[in-house]
Amino acid sequence: MWHLTSTGAPGALQDAGAGVLPRSSAVTTIDGRALPGSRSLLGGAANVSGRFIALEGTDGVGKTSLARHLADIDYDTAVARLAAHLPTEACAGSFAFVSRRQISTTSTYAATLMEHLSTMLWRSGDAPDLSDAFWVSLQAAWFTAHTETVVGPLLDAGFDVIVDGWLYKFFAKLLLQGFTEPDLAVIFDRVRMPDAVMLLQADAGAVYDRRQDFRPAELGMHASYGDLDDLGRDTFVDYQTKTAVNLQAFAERHGWHTAELDPDEPIPATARRLAPIMAALRTPLEPVSIAVTTRNGEAAR
């Protein structure tokens, strides 16, 4: 069974990061060239940037696969449109998938530095030798660069952007490891936060059984579960379940939409069910009521 619930108005501008992080107002450029102005709303309303939407959830729940299916274009296509100096109308209304691990192609200087950060964060193996404080600093540097030279230029040009996770899963884990929200608010102060978030939920045991090839950090290496040899399915389920509790608390506080997923349902089918909600989240209108059906054709409860 597939369910979708909401604790906020689908079309309203959600303060998705309220109480955690402020929104950055950094100016974005492509190799030093200022970007075109933001898109205009129909009816002559004031200009607004594109909508920034994040799929959040625990490790392995399907954020990347779903974000790819929900988007209209990929990052490279969006950047190519910017580089071609196309009119704002060619950008506004497009829905671009941008990986949270995407290295900038709008700034060669940022790309060089992000390559090093990417290697340290995701391509250097796993070991408990360095404390959480080290990894938090790297993540803050990464997402600041991502904000300023990856998602920022697209949003400022009028693209709607969907990312496969942002800071919230990381925050949910850090809260289990002794950090506080005020700590994180200071460290990640310059990171742009999403306009809207959808939380994806699934049974942690089913997620592990489907994939199994999780990194030690995803199995709970930094959360005092013992030596590396002690990590496995049991620690994954416990760690991810506790992380999910914190994510659910964020969802309730900030009015996120939540979707309970069936790990056995094909990604394209799930994406079709999420599409109406994504369309509403991309349109900052007055609150509307949205009905989503399950695979049996019944209204989701």
Side-chain angles (χ1 to χ4, degrees):
M1 185 68 69
W2 188 98
H3 298 283
L4 187 141
T5 61
S6 172
T7 52
L13 181 64
Q14 300 290 332
D15 189 3
V20 181
L21 291 178
R23 190 180 314 284
S24 171
S25 57
V27 175
T28 51
T29 63
I30 293 182
D31 279 335
R33 176 176 63 82
L35 291 172
S38 301
R39 68 185 181 192
S40 297
L41 293 174
L42 294 177
N47 286 0
V48 295
S49 64
R51 293 281 284 167
F52 184 19
I53 299 172
L55 297 183
E56 278 292 358
T58 53
D59 293 310
V61 76
K63 298 182 293 294
T64 302
S65 297
L66 278 170
R68 289 185 189 277
H69 276 80
L70 289 164
D72 302 325
I73 59 175
D74 60 16
Y75 174 72
D76 289 340
T77 300
V79 172
R81 292 182 185 178
L82 287 180
H85 303 282
L86 296 178
T88 301
E89 292 76 15
C91 303
S94 296
F95 197 24
F97 166 65
V98 179
S99 169
R100 68 188 182 281
R101 298 186 181 184
Q102 176 66 52
I103 292 171
S104 176
T105 63
T106 67
S107 165
T108 53
Y109 179 69
T112 299
L113 299 182
M114 291 180 78
E115 284 280 3
H116 295 301
L117 288 171
S118 178
T119 297
M120 287 188 285
L121 284 167
W122 299 298
R123 300 197 298 273
S124 297
D126 291 285
D129 303 46
L130 293 166
S131 71
D132 294 340
F134 174 82
W135 299 108
V136 168
S137 299
L138 286 184
Q139 291 278 7
W142 173 265
F143 281 102
T144 301
H146 200 294
T147 286
E148 295 177 0
T149 68
V150 181
V151 296
L154 300 188
L155 292 167
D156 291 348
F159 288 96
D160 292 337
V161 170
I162 184 169
V163 291
D164 54 341
W166 200 235
L167 293 174
Y168 297 106
K169 180 186 73 175
F170 190 51
F171 286 177
K173 291 180 176 180
L174 290 173
L175 293 177
L176 298 175
Q177 294 159 212
F179 281 79
T180 67
E181 291 193 40
D183 293 335
L184 300 175
V186 172
I187 296 168
F188 291 89
D189 180 61
R190 300 300 298 172
V191 177
R192 187 169 185 163
M193 301 304 288
D195 298 306
V197 177
M198 173 169 280
L199 176 60
L200 307 179
Q201 300 173 315
D203 178 74
V207 170
Y208 182 89
D209 293 338
R210 180 182 61 184
R211 198 178 105 181
Q212 298 189 9
D213 59 335
F214 291 96
R215 297 172 52 195
E218 297 169 328
L219 299 174
M221 180 181 68
H222 295 292
S224 303
Y225 283 98
D227 298 330
L228 292 178
D229 291 341
D230 298 323
L231 303 177
R233 188 184 191 278
D234 290 344
T235 63
F236 176 87
V237 170
D238 189 69
Y239 184 45
Q240 299 296 331
T241 299
K242 290 177 178 176
T243 300
V245 170
N246 283 339
L247 286 171
Q248 180 61 36
F250 293 158
E252 293 172 359
R253 184 192 309 169
H254 304 305
W256 298 350
H257 296 275
T258 62
E260 184 178 345
L261 307 184
D262 179 353
D264 295 326
E265 183 176 35
I267 290 294
T270 304
R272 286 194 296 271
R273 300 183 194 283
L274 290 180
I277 300 298
M278 287 296 111
L281 293 177
R282 292 175 61 194
T283 307
L285 301 173
E286 292 300 317
V288 294
S289 176
I290 295 180
V292 179
T293 59
T294 66
R295 280 190 289 176
N296 296 327
E298 300 173 349
R301 295 181 293 275

